[in-house]
Amino acid sequence: MDLGRARRLISPGLRRALFLRDRGCAFPGCHRPPRHCQGHHIRHWADGGLTDLANLVLLCGHHHRLLHRSGWQVRIATDGHPEFLPPRFLDKHRKPRRNNIHQPLPFAA
């Protein structure tokens, strides 16, 4: 299912896995469902990032643009779910935040 460097675009199988893991836009507080979201490479594909579940996060268009244009960062936590680090001007400690609206499936972790 993971595509590595072979393809930049997400395959249908990888998209389904992303839908199951993130359950919608993964940005904290966003309610957008998976069908209104797009896959975002955490380490950008152009910078050598892989098209793999561990390097992707589901974001609505608004939060996808915000991530590209602001100091927010995203990473995959040790439990396999995305967490977001706010820019220093919002939180000087950059405490990780998660979207708790979309509850992950118990087997998706």
Side-chain angles (χ1 to χ4, degrees):
M1 177 172 22
D2 289 339
L3 303 172
R5 295 285 305 155
R7 286 182 48 193
R8 181 181 65 86
L9 299 179
I10 300 167
S11 68
L14 189 51
R15 181 168 294 281
R16 281 190 295 276
L18 199 54
F19 281 13
L20 286 172
R21 186 194 70 199
D22 295 351
R23 313 277 294 152
C25 180
F27 196 86
C30 189
H31 67 280
R32 300 295 269 178
R35 68 183 177 279
H36 295 159
C37 297
Q38 37 197 245
H40 167 76
H41 286 83
I42 295 170
R43 179 175 178 210
H44 302 294
W45 194 84
D47 295 333
L50 304 175
T51 305
D52 294 346
L53 190 59
N55 189 46
L56 294 168
V57 64
L58 203 57
L59 296 170
C60 68
H62 171 74
H63 289 117
H64 197 166
R65 288 185 298 277
L66 178 74
L67 212 60
H68 281 283
R69 298 177 181 159
S70 72
W72 283 91
Q73 292 178 315
V74 61
R75 66 186 182 195
I76 301 297
T78 56
D79 67 356
H81 293 283
E83 60 184 18
F84 294 79
L85 303 162
R88 290 207 186 280
F89 71 88
L90 289 178
D91 178 357
K92 70 178 181 175
H93 301 293
R94 300 197 74 202
K95 180 182 174 191
R97 301 173 188 200
R98 292 184 175 203
N99 187 333
N100 295 319
I101 294 172
H102 309 292
Q103 293 301 314
L105 297 174
F107 60 84

